[in-house]
Amino acid sequence: MSKLTIRDIAKMAGVSTTAVSFVLNNKSGVSDATREKVQKIIESTGFTPNVHTRRLNLGKSYTIHVVLRQYSNSLFNQFALETLSGIFTESKFLGYSIVFTFVDDHMDCHQILDSVRGKDCDGIILNQIADPTLLSILQQEEIPFVCVDAHIPKDGSLPLVEVDYYDAAYQATRHLYDCGHRQIGFIGPQTPAEYYMSTFNGYTAALKDMELVCNPNWLAEVPFADADNPTSLEPLFSKPQLPTAFVCAGDIFAISAVRCAKAKGICIPEDISIMSLDDLLVSQYMDPSLSTMTFPKELLGKKAMQLLYKIIMEEPYTPVNLIKTTPILRESVKSI
Amino acid sequence: MSKLTIRDIAKMAGVSTTAVSFVLNNKSGVSDATREKVQKIIESTGFTPNVHTRRLNLGKSYTIHVVLRQYSNSLFNQFALETLSGIFTESKFLGYSIVFTFVDDHMDCHQILDSVRGKDCDGIILNQIADPTLLSILQQEEIPFVCVDAHIPKDGSLPLVEVDYYDAAYQATRHLYDCGHRQIGFIGPQTPAEYYMSTFNGYTAALKDMELVCNPNWLAEVPFADADNPTSLEPLFSKPQLPTAFVCAGDIFAISAVRCAKAKGICIPEDISIMSLDDLLVSQYMDPSLSTMTFPKELLGKKAMQLLYKIIMEEPYTPVNLIKTTPILRESVKSI
DNA sequence: ATGAAAGCGCTAACAT
DNA sequence: ATGTTAGCGCTTTCAT
């Protein structure tokens, strides 16, 4: 891109390369007159120092490697771009570039490692990736990394940024209660276990606080793979006695639930209310639009980058970072 | 990451750095015995050569800069991630890394230039960006670049990858005709002009071929900013005489049309059929689900990267690359 | 304040 | 086939 080198600039200004270097890096050691002279030439020529040299000298790449998971079902990718955008904004602010890798469902962790090693980055952000082998290797090799939205245990052993799904499920259940519902079911995934536990525990904790019983007939566990397959909820919606509302552990389940209910002639929200978590982009365009727990998607990325930066800089950091959700009320919940 | 240098490896193997370099780059000039010996040491130590040095020596960064546009309305971003994924897959195949920048609606083109210059890439892919100033600067400076999904004139003056929206609109209209519709309206955007012309011309060309008249009462031009605002279509759906079907120049318009129609008590597809273009992720989850023209989103990225590679390599290339769409039939179109 | 010069880790031209 | 060495463009130490 730029053919000019620091030597050219030095020659043009009649100074040494050292002087130019100092000016470029805003360091002291040059007179104001020299600085100004050099500054002018840099501006007029549009000179930009070669980044590779800089990185070579400093032994730092000023680059973060983001590993993105690519699901076969693109609904799961819904906020990856927003997370990425959050990472980008913060990384720019902190002076880092971003390179990335996409990996699919069945990736080999060595793929990532090679990719990461080859690119020589200062740190890694793993988005929705929880491969234990990979994580332990990263820890062993003391490579700075952060997990985002990975649904791994929040025990503090790994630096992570997660949505507070326990609280989200709790609030969702609570909201239904506040709308007058007393018979509240739960539709959620089986795996990952951490995700299931968070949401289910949030739901049951809320029931308990409101002195409601948890009716096992109103519980449905749908494999993630079937999340957007309405027939997976057939058995649930065929039951003779249904609750007046369901909490869904994710908009994907809510989408299925709405479809399945429709197919069985059950009206949402007239017959049954549905409150879910996530606030996917689709959720506001559905009919009925989904009442759900929303959160700032970009914040996930921003927090992750901030956390990674601290780790890289060897500053103290809080390993577990939870993003709070807030209810967004649309059409799928009716007060009774 | 790796503290080892090529010199360490050379020492360990008892050979020169040249030998190691040759082995690393799979070049001839070393005996099989030496090659094997070095190979073993590289493997056992997990040595990875420093990329920055390599780039410095070769004067190439092996990096592509992708500029992503971030719209305030996230519906427009729907397939950016898939395009990105396509770029990634192909770039990996070709041996390139990807860095990226997000820019918002009102970006200054110098922002991009600075960002691009600083990162020192071998080429640029502009996604949904059509800033004329930026493009002319890139051309002047002879920086390899490709435009994707930018809706700029396909006159061959700029290397671009675009969806064939003319053909998409033609096919969509044709499909409605095949379903028995003879009164077909059109809902589209005013800008960008190129997009409007492509879709509108496709629509009118189809009408003409089928010897149908274009009734100006059945035409609605919605500003892009109002695309997902159903009230912008109020006037259209309030007309006394409505066609039996509409072609929408994008699922975003179809979403608005469905909502607006619903609000006015018009049933889709019972009263009016809707056929659109794009196949956004939301389109299949709507009620009714949208019949639309779909295309492989990743292919946009893949083609863009292939095109850029040719430009970088100074190989001959075709400047205008069109992606074909195919109809995907769902619920919003009814045969009559 | 200024400049000469020694690296950073590798590639490649050159000599052996 | 193998080793020596001069760069790549910059930062930084050390003289001046």
Side-chain angles (χ1 to χ4, degrees):
Chain A
M1 235 107 145
S2 56
K3 286 249 164 191
L4 287 166
T5 74
I6 199 174
R7 254 186 286 271
D8 297 322
I9 305 297
K11 207 164 287 172
M12 293 167 83
V15 297
S16 72
T17 58
T18 313
V20 179
S21 177
F22 281 171
V23 172
L24 281 171
N25 297 293
N26 253 316
K27 290 196 177 171
S28 60
V30 274
S31 64
D32 286 358
T34 308
R35 186 180 298 274
E36 217 167 300
K37 192 166 54 181
V38 172
Q39 205 86 267
K40 278 227 175 78
I41 295 183
I42 289 176
E43 268 163 43
S44 68
T45 55
F47 168 73
T48 324
N50 182 310
V51 280
H52 305 308
T53 310
R54 185 145 209 289
R55 291 171 180 175
L56 176 56
N57 281 313
L58 271 38
K60 273 201 69 167
S61 63
Y62 295 100
T63 299
I64 300 299
H65 197 121
V66 178
V67 184
L68 258 13
R69 175 131 169 214
Q70 185 159 46
Y71 291 94
S72 39
N73 178 337
S74 38
L75 259 191
F76 291 114
N77 288 332
Q78 281 262 331
F79 40 82
L81 194 68
E82 293 178 76
T83 305
L84 200 58
S85 164
I87 295 174
F88 169 75
T89 307
E90 193 63 18
S91 72
K92 191 177 174 187
F93 175 72
L94 295 171
Y96 284 78
S97 292
I98 306 282
V99 304
F100 63 81
T101 302
F102 277 97
V103 299
D104 58 25
D105 283 355
H106 315 287
M107 92 302 185
D108 173 18
C109 80
H110 291 286
Q111 247 176 274
I112 300 182
L113 273 174
D114 286 351
S115 178
V116 157
R117 271 198 264 261
K119 255 81 169 226
D120 190 30
C121 56
D122 295 341
I124 304 172
I125 295 180
L126 300 167
N127 188 245
Q128 303 185 13
I129 290 168
D131 187 300
T133 320
L134 175 63
L135 294 178
S136 77
I137 293 176
L138 291 177
Q139 282 193 307
Q140 266 173 42
E141 300 198 9
E142 298 188 10
I143 300 171
F145 75 95
V146 167
C147 297
V148 187
D149 195 21
H151 302 307
I152 45 184
K154 299 176 259 302
D155 57 13
S157 66
L158 296 172
L160 42 84
V161 178
E162 298 280 356
V163 175
D164 191 344
Y165 278 109
Y166 172 91
D167 181 68
Y170 186 99
Q171 282 193 64
T173 312
R174 179 92 214 180
H175 174 68
L176 289 171
Y177 181 88
D178 292 342
C179 289
H181 294 276
R182 295 297 177 266
Q183 304 177 340
I184 304 173
F186 178 85
I187 300 173
Q190 295 171 311
T191 56
E194 175 69 17
Y195 184 63
Y196 172 72
M197 289 310 289
S198 301
T199 51
F200 188 70
N201 288 347
Y203 159 74
T204 50
L207 287 189
K208 198 176 168 198
D209 285 356
M210 301 174 298
E211 299 181 349
L212 258 36
V213 289
C214 172
N215 185 332
N217 282 318
W218 299 338
L219 263 34
E221 287 167 24
V222 183
F224 243 124
D226 284 333
D228 74 332
N229 177 7
T231 59
S232 60
L233 289 171
E234 258 300 311
L236 177 67
F237 282 99
S238 302
K239 294 197 173 155
Q241 287 267 29
L242 284 174
T244 62
F246 277 109
V247 170
C248 290
D251 285 2
I252 300 180
F253 302 102
I255 291 170
S256 286
V258 168
R259 288 183 149 189
C260 185
K262 270 188 190 170
K264 302 209 66 91
I266 299 170
C267 290
I268 313 289
E270 289 73 12
D271 301 328
I272 296 181
S273 287
I274 287 187
M275 179 80 194
S276 65
L277 330 173
D278 272 348
D279 192 24
L280 300 181
L281 193 48
V282 293
S283 308
Q284 58 183 299
Y285 293 102
M286 298 186 43
D287 184 25
S289 56
L290 252 36
S291 286
T292 187
M293 302 300 300
T294 191
F295 59 93
K297 313 286 188 291
E298 294 205 346
L299 191 57
L300 275 179
K302 182 179 177 178
K303 288 259 187 198
M305 185 62 218
Q306 288 173 337
L307 179 57
L308 183 58
Y309 183 72
K310 282 188 189 161
I311 296 174
I312 291 173
M313 290 305 171
E314 301 187 329
E315 292 171 13
Y317 64 90
T318 318
V320 178
N321 298 73
L322 260 33
I323 307 284
K324 283 285 175 195
T325 59
T326 51
I328 178 158
L329 309 179
R330 291 194 279 242
E331 301 168 349
S332 65
V333 172
K334 189 188 72 164
S335 287
I336 58 174
Chain B
M1 237 110 145
S2 55
K3 287 248 162 192
L4 287 166
T5 76
I6 199 174
R7 254 186 286 270
D8 296 322
I9 305 296
K11 207 164 285 172
M12 292 167 82
V15 297
S16 72
T17 59
T18 313
V20 179
S21 177
F22 282 169
V23 172
L24 281 172
N25 297 294
N26 253 315
K27 291 197 178 171
S28 59
V30 274
S31 63
D32 286 357
T34 307
R35 187 179 297 275
E36 215 167 301
K37 192 167 53 181
V38 173
Q39 205 87 266
K40 279 226 175 79
I41 294 182
I42 289 176
E43 268 164 42
S44 68
T45 55
F47 168 73
T48 322
N50 181 311
V51 280
H52 305 307
T53 309
R54 185 146 208 286
R55 291 170 180 176
L56 176 58
N57 280 313
L58 271 40
K60 274 201 68 167
S61 64
Y62 295 101
T63 299
I64 301 299
H65 197 121
V66 179
V67 184
L68 258 12
R69 176 131 168 213
Q70 185 160 46
Y71 291 95
S72 38
N73 179 337
S74 38
L75 259 191
F76 292 114
N77 288 332
Q78 282 263 329
F79 40 84
L81 194 69
E82 292 178 75
T83 305
L84 199 58
S85 164
I87 294 174
F88 169 75
T89 307
E90 193 63 19
S91 72
K92 191 178 173 185
F93 175 73
L94 294 171
Y96 284 78
S97 293
I98 306 280
V99 303
F100 63 82
T101 302
F102 277 97
V103 298
D104 59 25
D105 282 355
H106 315 288
M107 92 301 186
D108 172 20
C109 80
H110 291 286
Q111 248 177 271
I112 300 183
L113 273 174
D114 285 351
S115 176
V116 156
R117 270 199 264 260
K119 257 78 170 227
D120 191 31
C121 56
D122 295 341
I124 304 172
I125 295 180
L126 300 167
N127 189 247
Q128 303 185 15
I129 290 168
D131 186 300
T133 320
L134 175 64
L135 294 177
S136 76
I137 292 177
L138 291 177
Q139 281 192 308
Q140 267 174 40
E141 300 197 10
E142 297 188 10
I143 300 172
F145 74 96
V146 167
C147 296
V148 188
D149 195 21
H151 303 307
I152 46 185
K154 299 176 259 303
D155 57 13
S157 66
L158 296 171
L160 41 84
V161 178
E162 297 279 356
V163 175
D164 191 344
Y165 278 110
Y166 172 92
D167 181 68
Y170 186 98
Q171 282 194 65
T173 313
R174 178 94 214 177
H175 174 69
L176 288 171
Y177 182 88
D178 292 342
C179 289
H181 294 276
R182 295 297 176 265
Q183 303 178 338
I184 303 173
F186 177 85
I187 300 173
Q190 296 170 310
T191 55
E194 175 70 16
Y195 183 64
Y196 172 71
M197 289 310 289
S198 302
T199 51
F200 187 70
N201 289 346
Y203 159 73
T204 51
L207 286 188
K208 197 178 171 195
D209 286 357
M210 301 175 298
E211 300 182 346
L212 256 37
V213 289
C214 173
N215 184 332
N217 282 318
W218 299 338
L219 263 35
E221 288 168 22
V222 183
F224 242 124
D226 283 333
D228 76 331
N229 177 7
T231 59
S232 61
L233 289 170
E234 256 302 307
L236 178 67
F237 282 100
S238 300
K239 294 194 173 159
Q241 287 266 29
L242 284 174
T244 63
F246 278 109
V247 170
C248 291
D251 285 1
I252 299 182
F253 302 102
I255 291 170
S256 286
V258 168
R259 289 183 148 191
C260 185
K262 269 187 191 171
K264 303 208 67 90
I266 299 169
C267 289
I268 313 288
E270 289 72 14
D271 302 327
I272 297 182
S273 287
I274 286 187
M275 179 80 193
S276 64
L277 329 172
D278 273 346
D279 192 24
L280 299 182
L281 191 51
V282 293
S283 308
Q284 58 182 299
Y285 293 103
M286 297 187 42
D287 183 27
S289 57
L290 252 36
S291 285
T292 187
M293 303 300 300
T294 191
F295 60 92
K297 313 287 187 291
E298 294 205 347
L299 192 57
L300 275 178
K302 182 179 175 174
K303 287 259 188 199
M305 185 63 220
Q306 288 172 338
L307 179 56
L308 182 59
Y309 184 73
K310 282 186 188 161
I311 295 174
I312 291 173
M313 289 305 170
E314 300 186 328
E315 292 171 13
Y317 64 89
T318 318
V320 179
N321 298 73
L322 258 35
I323 307 284
K324 284 285 176 196
T325 59
T326 51
I328 178 156
L329 308 179
R330 292 194 279 242
E331 301 167 350
S332 65
V333 172
K334 188 188 71 166
S335 288
I336 58 174

